[in-house]
Structures are given as structure tokens and as C-alpha cells.
């Protein structure tokens, strides 16, 4: 098989396959953490195993006789699996345009490879049955590395498929079961990580949901039926709006904090909240409450100090963001609407947010402690946050700042180790603080190296029961680990007893 054109096509196939896996399957689509993609993961696992065999065979041998026939059968099986995979993808998810283009190029390139391979396989099939060792220099080395890579992903995808059923979180309607029936809820930021799950829960429970979004294409993935609008002017004065949940805002940690990015982070939140104030003023019947987003960044960074809703703040950019957002919400309160300012901690779930970015590196043995690991992480599981939002809507005694965090904050090193244990992997690295500051500047210093030790005093006083008060059992459960550690008696008491 000493044909440089054929080897170039194989190299192109390897590169495009790696791009598809890393950018789409592991990046934008995150297939390993989507229960709906169990069959697709199994197909990928089997196909990657075949690819591993094919690459190793091409790298170091010429299969003659019966072995050539077996190799031809594997190549044909790969085509059939790929066709099955195309059908499965169309039935279960909406593919990004880049993935469709990449799949088309992969299919065309694979066809060219098969066309060049057929003469070799035909000749080898009529030779005496044996495997003839051979080598093609750098081409063999490349194919060997590719075989190792696809073999690793084959094992990973098959294991991910086997845990898919354990990722099922049950009926989303139960997350908002405390709400009065048939509420009309306006959600801004409804296509984000938290908003999407909130909309799913509200729709499943039979409530009427209006989602404000700048990009209607993102709303295609929402649970339906929902009413989609792109501007608050599309809400008529006579429309009924019982509750507004305001989660909209430019992402904080997706880019360096340039002057332009800082301004956009603050203005996107303030301007949306002011627009909601104008909406409240013109509606014939005012909403009963506004659940307004904020974050524990309001407190700044105060070391080991325990921070309840009564705590003061310390200077930080994240404080400036939250403070501006909360002050805008106070103007809505002046109109007679009950306003709850949710100071949310790190929201943890396998479908998005910070945890989603850590799962794949940790699963491949790349768990990283940030800096010293001493910084506090005040967190809340995604579904618990949806339950907090429903609780804040239903409990009319709740108003003002409310800490939406689990009762047991943890240090970064303990979180990293707990995640690694949930995935049965080691913690391999520690990222020095100076490296993070050098690469990410103030954003790295505040979002990765800073932290707050926040407690949900108001929620506990109103009797809110956290389903996930402790980090280790929570991580085991949401990542589909087979064995989930039990909660300590002390933790159960703290999560269920008002302070």
C-alpha cells in the first residue's frame, strides 16, 4: 500500500475525524452527557473500534487471503454504521451546520479512500492467507497515533452510553410543583443554561411561558409550547404576566475583560432590567413578582468570612456588575412589585455552565486545582436552583437579596477532588495562580482564584429543603456514578433546619 495519495487521504480523514470529535461531539454537542444520545454513542464506540483496527492494520501490515476479506468486511461495516449514525443523528438532535459540512467531507473522502483501496484488497485477497509485516515510516507512526486516539474514544463512548440511563433527572414538572396552577411567566435569558431548564419545568407543569430571546434559532431547542418574542414591545398592555424571571445578561467568563467587554456585561443586565421596568409600568395588571438574577459576586472577595444576606460587600468588578443589576431591579420594586434578587452561586449541572467545561478534561485524567485551591466555591445544583426560583415565586415572604447557594460551600481543591472521585479519575495538575493571572488577567483572578463562602440563610429560614446540600453526593449523582455516597447526618440537619 505504498501510495502517497492514499496516505494523504487517510491523513485528511484522521484530521477531519479528530476535528468532528473534539469540536462537535465533545465541544458544542457534548454527546457523552446527553441521555438522548445513547444509541449514537454506541454507534460511535463500535465505529471507532473498527477505525482503530483499520489504522493499525494499514500502519504495520499487509493482510493477505482471508485476512484481506475480513478487512474488506470491516470497511463495509464502517460504511453501514456511518449511514445508521446519520439517521440516528437526524432523529435525535439538530446538527450544527459545521458538523453537517464536516460529515459530508468525511463521507466523500472515505469514498475516495475506498476507491484507491479496492485494487490492493482485490490483489491481497487471492494471495495465501497470512499477515505480512511492513512499515511506511512516518505514515505508520501517524496511523498508530490515530489508532490509539480512536481506540481511547471507543472505550469512552461505550462507557458513556452505559451510564446514559443514570443521567436521567426525572420529571421536570416536579421542580416547580409548589407554584399556583396555570401561571403566566415571562422569562428573559430563557435559552441559557438555567433558563432552558426553567422553561422545561414550567412547560411540563402546564404553565404558560413567554421567552424573550435575541436569537429565535436558539429557542428551537426549548420545550414547547412556548411563546417566543424578540422584543418586549411584543407584549401587549392587556397581556397577563403573573411572574417575570430575569436571567438575561452577557456571559461573564467567555472572554477577557476588555473595556468593551466590561461595559457590555453591565449594560446588558441593566438595560434589560430597565426595559422590564417600562413593561411593568404599562401593563394593565402588574406582575406579582420579579425574580431578578444576580450573583454571589456582589459580596466581592472576603476570604474565609461566612457571608449571609446581611453581609456587606468588598470592591471587585463582579461586585460592580451585580450591584448595578440589583439597583436596576430596585426601580421595579418602587412600582409595587415584589422583587427577589437571587444571588446565585456557581450553578452545577452536566448540561452546561462551569461543570460542563470541566467534565471532559477530568474524564481524561486532566483534573486541575486552580491556584492554591484554598478559595471557596459556593455552589448550587441546577435543578435545586430551579426549585429555589419556584420557591421564591410561591413564598410571598421572600423579598430582597436571597442567596441561592447550597448550605455547604467547599474549597476549590475539595471540589476538584470530589469531581475526580465521581469520575474515577486522578487529580493530575495544579494551575499556578500566576499563570492564570498572566493568561486571563483580572477575569482569571476573580472567576478562578477568587471565591466567597456564602450561606443561604433566608432560604433555610423559610424551610427550603435542598435535595443536593453536599458536593460529593451531588457530583456522583448528576454524573451517573454507580455508587452515590450518603449524606452526613449533620448535612441533612443543616439543609432541613431553619437557622
Amino acid at each position: 500500500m505504498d501510495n502517497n495519495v492514499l496516505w494523504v487521504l487517510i491523513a485528511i480523514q484522521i484530521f477531519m475525524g479528530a476535528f468532528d470529535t473534539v469540536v462537535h461531539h465533545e465541544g458544542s454537542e457534548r454527546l457523552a452527557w446527553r441521555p438522548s444520545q445513547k444509541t449514537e454513542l454506541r454507534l460511535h464506540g463500535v465505529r471507532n473500534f473498527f477505525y482503530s483496527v483499520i489504522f493499525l492494520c494499514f500502519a504495520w501490515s499487509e493482510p493477505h487471503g482471508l485476512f484481506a476479506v475480513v478487512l474488506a468486511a470491516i470497511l463495509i461495516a464502517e460504511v453501514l454504521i456511518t449511514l445508521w449514525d446519520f439517521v440516528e443523528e437526524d432523529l435525535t438532535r439538530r446538527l450544527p451546520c459545521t458538523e453537517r459540512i464536516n460529515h459530508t467531507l468525511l463521507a466523500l473522502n472515505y469514498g475516495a479512500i475506498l476507491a484507491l483501496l479496492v485494487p490492493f484488497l482485490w490483489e491481497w485477497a487471492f494471495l495465501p492467507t497470512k499477515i505480512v509485516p511492513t512499515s511506511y515510516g512516518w505514515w505508520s507512526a501517524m496511523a498508530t497515533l490515530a489508532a490509539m486516539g480512536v481506540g481511547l474514544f471507543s472505550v469512552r463512548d461505550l462507557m458513556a452510553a452505559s451510564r446514559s440511563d443514570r443521567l436521567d433527572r426525572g420529571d421536570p414538572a416536579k421542580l416547580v410543583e409548589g407554584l399556583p396552577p396555570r401561571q403566566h411567566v415571562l422569562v428573559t435569558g430563557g435559552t441559557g443554561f438555567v433558563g432552558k431548564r426553567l422553561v422545561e419545568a414550567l412547560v411540563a407543569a402546564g404553565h404558560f411561558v413567554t421567552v424573550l430571546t435575541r436569537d429565535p434559532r436558539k429557542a428551537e431547542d426549548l420545550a414547547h409550547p412556548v411563546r417566543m418574542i424578540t422584543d418586549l414591545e411584543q407584549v401587549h398592555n392587556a397581556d397577563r404576566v403573573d411572574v417575570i424571571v430575569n436571567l438575561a445578561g452577557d456571559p461573564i467568563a467567555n472572554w477577557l475583560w476588555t473595556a468593551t467587554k466590561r461595559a457590555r456585561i453591565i449594560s446588558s443586565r441593566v438595560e434589560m432590567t430597565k426595559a422590564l421596568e417600562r413593561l411593568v409600568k404599562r401593563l394593565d395588571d402588574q406582575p406579582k413578582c420579579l425574580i431578578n438574577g444576580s450573583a454571589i459576586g456582589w459580596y466581592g472577595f472576603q476570604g474565609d468570612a461566612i457571608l449571609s444576606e446581611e453581609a456587606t460587600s468588598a470592591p471587585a468588578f463582579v461586585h460592580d456588575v451585580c450591584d448595578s443589576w440589583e439597583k436596576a431591579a430596585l426601580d421595579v420594586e418602587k412600582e409595587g412589585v415584589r422583587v427577589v434578587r437571587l444571588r446565585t452561586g456557581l450553578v452545577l449541572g452536566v448540561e452546561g455552565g462551569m461543570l460542563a467545561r470541566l467534565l471532559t478534561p477530568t474524564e481524561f485524567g486532566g483534573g486541575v486545582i486552580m491556584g492554591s485551591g484554598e478559595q471557596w466555591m459556593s455552589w448550587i445544583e441546577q435543578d435545586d436552583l430551579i426549585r429555589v426560583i419556584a420557591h421564591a415565586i410561591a413564598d410571598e415572604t421572600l423579598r430582597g437579596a436571597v442567596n441561592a447557594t447550597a448550605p455547604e460551600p467547599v474549597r476549590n481543591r475539595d471540589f476538584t477532588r470530589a469531581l475526580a472521585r465521581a469520575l474515577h479519575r486522578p487529580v493530575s495538575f495544579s494551575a499556578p495562580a500566576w499563570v492564570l493571572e498572566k493568561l486571563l488577567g483580572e477575569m482569571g483572578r476573580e472567576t478562578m482564584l477568587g471565591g466567597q463562602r456564602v450561606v443561604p440563610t433566608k432560604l433555610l429560614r423559610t424551610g427550603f429543603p435542598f435535595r443536593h446540600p453536599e458536593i460529593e453526593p451531588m457530583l456522583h449523582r448528576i454524573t451517573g456514578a454507580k455508587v452515590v455516597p450518603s449524606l452526613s447526618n449533620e448535612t441533612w440537619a443543616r439543609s432541613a433546619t431553619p437557622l
Side-chain angles (χ1 to χ4, degrees):
M1 208 177 74
D2 194 6
N3 184 318
N4 283 335
V5 174
L6 177 57
W7 277 110
V8 168
L9 292 177
I10 292 173
I12 292 172
Q13 192 78 358
I14 290 170
F15 173 79
M16 289 194 297
F19 176 83
D20 194 37
T21 298
V22 173
V23 174
H24 298 130
H25 299 171
E26 298 296 329
S28 62
E29 298 300 287
R30 304 188 62 255
L31 301 181
W33 298 99
R34 293 171 63 174
S36 60
Q37 305 313 121
K38 178 168 65 174
T39 300
E40 184 179 355
L41 286 167
R42 286 175 175 165
L43 291 171
H44 290 179
V46 174
R47 185 175 61 190
N48 284 337
F49 171 75
F50 284 164
Y51 264 129
S52 183
V53 172
I54 292 167
F55 289 150
L56 282 177
C57 182
F58 287 165
W60 302 108
S61 69
E62 284 186 6
H64 292 176
L66 183 60
F67 291 118
V69 175
V70 171
L71 179 59
I74 291 175
L75 290 166
I76 293 171
E78 194 282 334
V79 173
L80 296 176
I81 290 172
T82 297
L83 292 174
W84 186 0
D85 185 39
F86 286 168
V87 174
E88 181 66 23
E89 288 169 343
D90 282 337
L91 289 175
T92 57
R93 63 186 177 97
R94 183 168 57 89
L95 274 68
C97 60
T98 53
E99 188 173 3
R100 287 195 180 278
I101 293 170
N102 198 64
H103 285 182
T104 302
L105 295 175
L106 279 166
L108 293 172
N109 194 67
Y110 191 72
I113 291 172
L114 289 180
L116 292 176
L117 270 177
V118 166
F120 289 102
L121 292 173
W122 183 261
E123 178 184 348
W124 293 344
F126 292 99
L127 297 175
T129 299
K130 63 178 178 179
I131 294 179
V132 179
T134 186
S135 174
Y136 302 99
W138 288 108
W139 293 125
S140 293
M142 175 200 69
T144 302
L145 290 174
M148 294 170 61
V150 293
L152 180 63
F153 275 98
S154 172
V155 174
R156 186 287 182 89
D157 286 346
L158 292 172
M159 292 177 65
S162 70
R163 76 174 170 217
S164 292
D165 290 337
R166 298 194 297 274
L167 296 177
D168 185 9
R169 292 184 287 173
D171 183 4
K174 293 183 178 180
L175 300 177
V176 295
E177 59 187 0
L179 292 181
R182 303 175 69 80
Q183 294 289 287
H184 290 244
V185 184
L186 169 63
V187 181
T188 72
T191 58
F193 172 47
V194 174
K196 185 177 178 181
R197 182 63 170 170
L198 174 63
V199 170
E200 181 184 15
L202 290 169
V203 170
H207 299 290
F208 301 94
V209 182
T210 300
V211 174
L212 174 66
T213 178
R214 292 172 296 180
D215 186 356
R217 291 172 299 178
K218 290 184 178 180
E220 293 177 14
D221 293 330
L222 292 176
H224 286 278
V226 296
R227 177 192 179 193
M228 286 190 309
I229 59 174
T230 56
D231 194 296
L232 289 176
E233 292 301 319
Q234 295 171 258
V235 179
H236 303 296
N237 293 355
D239 286 349
R240 175 182 165 189
V241 179
D242 295 314
V243 178
I244 300 174
V245 181
N246 182 22
L247 304 173
D250 197 71
I252 285 183
N254 68 336
W255 197 251
L256 296 178
W257 287 350
T258 62
T260 301
K261 176 65 174 177
R262 286 167 175 264
R264 191 163 63 244
I265 288 172
I266 293 177
S267 65
S268 63
R269 288 161 171 78
V270 171
E271 290 172 9
M272 175 56 68
T273 310
K274 288 183 176 179
L276 290 172
E277 179 193 358
R278 293 192 293 271
L279 173 66
V280 167
K281 286 181 176 179
R282 67 178 175 81
L283 285 174
D284 294 342
D285 294 305
Q286 287 188 335
K288 290 178 292 210
C289 72
L290 164 66
I291 308 298
N292 201 75
S294 185
I296 58 174
W298 186 90
Y299 298 104
F301 304 103
Q302 303 187 47
D304 292 340
I306 298 176
L307 305 172
S308 71
E309 289 87 350
E310 304 302 320
T312 57
S313 64
F317 174 66
V318 288
H319 165 76
D320 296 340
V321 174
C322 297
D323 194 50
S324 299
W325 202 2
E326 291 192 17
K327 285 177 178 175
L330 289 176
D331 290 336
V332 180
E333 194 170 45
K334 294 175 183 176
E335 300 301 318
V337 176
R338 178 172 64 91
V339 174
V340 176
R341 308 190 307 276
L342 278 186
R343 292 177 180 169
T344 306
L346 295 166
V347 184
L348 302 183
V350 298
E351 295 182 350
M354 180 202 74
L355 181 61
R357 294 191 290 270
L358 298 177
L359 287 171
T360 297
T362 304
E363 198 168 20
F364 283 95
V368 180
I369 295 173
M370 299 296 175
S372 67
E374 292 292 310
Q375 66 272 32
W376 286 98
M377 297 176 64
S378 295
W379 58 276
I380 186 168
E381 191 269 337
Q382 184 191 21
D383 279 358
D384 261 355
L385 178 56
I386 304 305
R387 293 175 59 247
V388 166
I389 292 172
H391 180 73
I393 295 171
D395 189 336
E396 296 182 0
T397 67
L398 271 178
R399 60 176 63 244
V402 174
N403 290 340
T405 63
E408 296 287 337
V410 295
R411 295 189 188 274
N412 174 261
R413 65 167 183 267
D414 297 323
F415 164 80
T416 305
R417 290 167 181 164
L419 178 59
R421 284 192 292 270
L423 299 176
H424 306 289
R425 297 294 187 272
V427 175
S428 304
F429 307 101
S430 178
W434 68 268
V435 172
L436 295 173
E437 291 193 42
K438 189 74 172 177
L439 292 174
L440 302 175
E442 188 177 8
M443 186 187 77
R445 186 164 58 251
E446 293 199 7
T447 63
M448 295 183 178
L449 301 174
Q452 299 90 3
R453 190 180 183 183
V454 177
V455 291
T457 302
K458 282 189 177 181
L459 287 175
L460 294 177
R461 281 179 178 166
T462 59
F464 179 80
F466 286 87
R467 291 181 182 171
H468 299 285
E470 199 170 75
I471 193 73
E472 185 125 8
M474 184 277 295
L475 289 173
H476 276 72
R477 190 168 296 281
I478 70 173
T479 58
K482 289 184 177 180
V483 179
V484 180
S486 59
L487 294 175
S488 65
N489 291 334
E490 180 183 355
T491 300
W492 273 118
R494 288 194 60 186
S495 65
T497 304
L499 294 179

